[in-house]
């Protein structure tokens, strides 16, 4: 059916208002997480109705509208739950499932969606993952999806790269989360994103949290400085082994000398196929 409906026109006007509200929240209030969820939910209504408007029969139109209505109600419910959900313990958070593959940090009892990593960060982290997997085996090297329970706020982190212990392989079969009750990881790697907030998060906040839970070694990979800082846990405190730059080879206190230089790692993210 090609005729427009009142619902479609109202959905179109709502989408315009949602987009304007999103721009205001991002540009004026610097709110980047819930604003994106609002944008997706608010504009999907018109998209679903647009699909229904192309139905080939009245029956098809009714079926598509019903599907769109149900889908949008589910999205609205998930958004409301996200806004109102409060968790009183980490165990309560672990039992929560919103039906998506989104990653969340638990901050003051509330869920904060983790935004996607930049392409550059992903390329660097993936290159390191492949290199370390060749040395240690793929089961002991985990990407950004691994969750690490920490103390303080937020209550969990998702490192860009983690080298786990042999005992973790079986422990993580059910859920890819290392709890405080488990032994800490061998190595955690974070790739620093541009900006003061991101810089302080990796150099200060995460460093303190990883140190607190006993992560044996922490790498801060900084593309802006073209340097890799290697930190080793000594008597409960991180000691800076040094900065790896240029043609310097990465020497890991836990893994030994690696056949990798800082130049190799940063060049891998810029290599054109």
């Amino acid at each position: 059916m090609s005729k427009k409906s009142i619902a479609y026109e109202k959905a179109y006007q709502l989408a315009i208002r949602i987009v304007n509200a999103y721009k205001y929240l991002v540009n004026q209030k610097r709110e980047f997480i819930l604003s994106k969820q609002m944008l997706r939910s608010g504009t999907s209504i018109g998209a679903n109705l647009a699909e229904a408007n192309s139905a080939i029969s009245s029956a098809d139109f009714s079926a598509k509208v019903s599907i769109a209505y149900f889908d949008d109600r589910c999205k609205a419910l998930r958004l409301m739950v996200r806004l109102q959900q409060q968790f009183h313990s980490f165990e309560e958070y672990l039992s929560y499932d919103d039906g998506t593959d989104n990653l969340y940090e638990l901050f003051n009892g509330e869920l904060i969606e983790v935004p996607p990593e930049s392409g550059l960060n992903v390329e660097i982290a993936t290159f390191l993952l492949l290199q370390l997997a060749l040395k240690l085996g793929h089961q002991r090297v985990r990407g950004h999806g691994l969750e690490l329970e920490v103390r303080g706020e937020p209550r969990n982190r998702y490192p860009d790269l983690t080298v786990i212990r042999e005992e973790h392989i079986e422990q993580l079969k059910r859920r890819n989360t290392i709890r405080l009750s488990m032994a800490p990881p061998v190595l955690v790697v974070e790739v620093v994103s541009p900006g003061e907030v991101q810089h302080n998060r990796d150099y200060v906040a995460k460093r303190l949290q990883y140190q607190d839970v006993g992560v044996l070694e922490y790498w801060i990979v900084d593309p802006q400085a073209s340097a890799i800082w290697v930190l080793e846990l000594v008597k409960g405190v991180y000691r800076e082994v040094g900065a790896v730059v240029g043609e310097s080879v990465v020497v890991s206190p836990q893994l030994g000398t690696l056949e990798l230089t800082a130049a190799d790692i940063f060049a891998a993210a810029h290599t054109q196929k």
Side-chain angles (χ1 to χ4, degrees), residues 14-74:
L14 173 63
I16 293 176
R17 296 179 64 183
I18 289 291
V19 169
N20 289 334
Y22 168 77
K23 291 179 179 179
Y24 170 78
L25 289 172
V26 170
N27 296 329
Q28 302 297 323
K29 299 298 183 180
R30 312 302 294 172
E31 203 298 310
F32 301 101
I33 306 300
L34 288 177
S35 60
K36 289 183 179 179
Q37 182 66 44
M38 180 192 71
L39 180 67
R40 288 194 294 267
S41 298
T43 56
S44 67
I45 300 172
N48 286 332
L49 287 176
E51 182 180 355
N53 201 48
S54 63
I56 60 176
S57 67
S58 296
D60 188 31
F61 177 81
S62 297
K64 289 181 181 295
V65 168
S66 296
I67 293 173
Y69 175 77
F70 176 77
D71 183 51
D72 292 328
R73 290 285 292 179
C74 289

Side-chain angles (χ1 to χ4, degrees), residues 71-83 96:
D71 183 51
D72 292 328
R73 290 285 292 179
C74 289
K75 289 177 180 176
L77 178 61
R78 284 199 295 267
L79 180 58
M80 286 189 292
V81 169
R82 287 271 312 282
L83 291 170
Y96 173 73

Side-chain angles (χ1 to χ4, degrees), residues 22-190:
Y22 168 77
K23 291 179 179 179
Y24 170 78
L25 289 172
V26 170
N27 296 329
Q28 302 297 323
K29 299 298 183 180
R30 312 302 294 172
E31 203 298 310
F32 301 101
I33 306 300
L34 288 177
S35 60
K36 289 183 179 179
Q37 182 66 44
M38 180 192 71
L39 180 67
R40 288 194 294 267
S41 298
T43 56
S44 67
I45 300 172
N48 286 332
L49 287 176
E51 182 180 355
N53 201 48
S54 63
I56 60 176
S57 67
S58 296
D60 188 31
F61 177 81
S62 297
K64 289 181 181 295
V65 168
S66 296
I67 293 173
Y69 175 77
F70 176 77
D71 183 51
D72 292 328
R73 290 285 292 179
C74 289
K75 289 177 180 176
L77 178 61
R78 284 199 295 267
L79 180 58
M80 286 189 292
V81 169
R82 287 271 312 282
L83 291 170
Q84 299 176 9
Q85 187 75 46
Q86 288 283 333
F87 298 95
H88 299 95
S89 68
F90 197 74
E91 286 70 21
E92 186 178 340
Y93 152 74
L94 290 177
S95 67
Y96 173 73
D97 183 1
D98 67 350
T100 74
D101 294 325
N102 296 333
L103 302 179
Y104 297 105
E105 288 182 342
L106 182 62
F107 193 91
N108 288 330
E110 298 182 358
L111 295 180
I112 304 297
E113 185 177 346
V114 177
E117 292 288 318
S118 71
L120 176 65
N121 286 24
V122 171
E123 289 179 18
I124 292 173
T126 302
F127 176 76
L128 284 171
L129 184 149
L130 293 174
Q131 299 302 313
L132 292 176
L134 289 174
K135 181 179 179 67
L136 303 171
H138 71 280
Q139 288 183 305
R140 290 194 57 202
V141 187
R142 302 293 169 99
H144 185 59
L146 179 134
E147 181 180 35
L148 178 62
E149 182 184 7
V150 294
R151 299 181 184 89
E153 300 294 345
R155 293 289 309 280
N156 55 336
R157 294 290 189 180
Y158 297 91
D160 290 322
L161 183 66
T162 306
V163 174
I164 62 176
R165 301 170 185 259
E166 290 284 352
E167 65 196 77
H168 288 145
I169 297 173
E170 187 61 34
Q171 292 174 332
L172 300 181
K173 293 288 187 184
R174 186 171 183 180
R175 180 180 176 117
N176 200 28
T177 301
I178 296 180
R179 301 293 311 276
L180 290 172
S181 58
M182 301 178 186
V186 173
L187 168 67
V188 159
V189 179
E190 294 287 4

